Amino acid sequence: MQRIFSGIQPSGIPHLGNYLGAVRNWVALQASHECLYCVVDLHAITVWQDPAALAQQTRELAASLLASGIDPKAHILFNQSAVHAHLRLAWIFNCVARMGWLNRMTQFKEKAGKDRENVSTGLFTYPNLMAADILVYHATRVPVGDDQRQHLELANDIAQKFNHDYGVDFFPQIEAMIMGPAARVMSLRDGTKKMSKSDASDQASIKMTDSADEIALKIRRAKTDPEPLPETIEGLEGRPEARNLVGIYAALTDTDHAAVLREHGSKGFGAFKPALTDLVVSKLAPIADETNRLLADPATIEAILRDGARRAEALAVPIVEEAERLVGFLKV
Ligand code: AQP
C-alpha cells in the first residue's frame, strides 16, 4: 500500500477551497492508502499568528478534519511541531536546496509581494520544510490543490540532489495527486485570486463552519457578470467568476464543468446561485455540526493528536537517523 502525506495550516478556519482541493480527497484516499495527515503549525508561523489563537486554531482544524471523515485510528492525524524529525530533516534540506530554486517559487512571490525584505526567512524556506514533511516518511503520494504543484516539483529536486550528492538511492520521488474540477477554488470576490484563509475580506471565502445563512449571503454577494451561464465550456472563457462557481458545483456533484452547463446553461445567476447555495449547505452543514460537537471536548481532540504524533514519530525517526548518518553526523 502506498504511503500518503498531506498537510494543512492552522492559519484560520478552513474554507471550501481547502475542503474541495484537499480534505475531501484525503478522506476518499483512506480506503486505498496508508495516510498521514498533518496540521502544519510550523508552516503557519511563517506568517504572524496570534499566540493566543494558534493553539485553538490547531484544535479547530483537527476537529474539522475529524468531522470531514479523517479516521485517526486506521490512519495518522497529528500536529507538525510535535514530531521533531520534520525539523531535523528540514535543516539538512536547507543545506541541499539552492537559493535559485527557492527564488522561483510563485507562492513566495505572491505572499511576500512588494515587501520581500520584511517577510520571515521561514516563508522563504517553507518549501524545504514541506519536502521534509513528506520525505521523512518516505511518502510517495501527496494529495494537494493545484497551488502546491510547484512545491512538490521542488521536493523532488531536493530528493534527487540529496541522493546524488551522497551517492545513494535513499529518498523516493513523490507524485502530486491533484484531483477534480475544484483543484483551485477561487475567491468569491475576485475570480482570478485563489480562495485563501488569510484573505482580508471575510466575503471572499466560504468557511467550513459558516452557517446556512452566512453561506447563502456570501454566494448571493459573490461577484459575477451580467451574462447568463453559457451552454458549453468554451463560453466560460474570460469569465473567471462564472467558471469558479460552475467548478464548485461540479466538484460538489462529482461531475465536471460540461455536465453542470448541460443542466444549468442559459440560466441566469439569479437561478443558479440558489441551487449552488443548497448544494454547499447540504455538504458543509453536517461537517460544521460535527466540528462543533467535537470542539466541546478539547481533551479528546488533543489525545487524538498526541497518539498520532507518537505513531508518526515511530515512522519518521529511523528515516531521519539514516539521513543524518548518510550526511556524516557523529553519533555520540
Ligand atoms: N483555493 C484553493 N483551492 C483548492 N485547494 C486549495 N488549497 C488551499 N487553497 C485552495 C489546498 O488546501 C491544502 C491546505 O492548504 P494550506 O492550509 O496548507 O495552505 P494554503 O495553500 O496556503 O491555503 P490557504 O487557505 O491559502 O491558507 P493561507 O491563507 O494561510 O495561506 C493544500 O493542499 C492546498 O493546495
Side-chain angles (χ1 to χ4, degrees), residues 6-23 25-26 38 40 43-44 46-47 49 61 107 111 123 126 130 142-149 151 177-179 182-187 193-199 205 244:
S6 201
I8 180 164
Q9 299 184 69
S11 45
I13 300 170
H15 51 70
L16 189 62
N18 298 131
Y19 179 67
L20 292 175
V23 178
N25 303 327
W26 294 7
C38 187
V40 288
H43 284 289
T46 56
V47 298
Q49 300 296 329
L61 184 51
Q107 181 173 293
K111 289 199 173 179
L123 189 68
Y126 180 118
M130 180 166 161
V142 183
V144 281
D146 186 53
D147 58 319
Q148 294 299 325
R149 189 191 295 273
H151 287 163
M177 305 170 86
I178 294 165
M179 299 153 84
R184 190 183 281 259
V185 177
M186 309 310 276
S187 157
K193 227 173 93 187
K194 140 180 136 99
M195 187 176 281
S196 183
K197 290 188 221 83
S198 48
D199 199 306
S205 65
N244 188 37

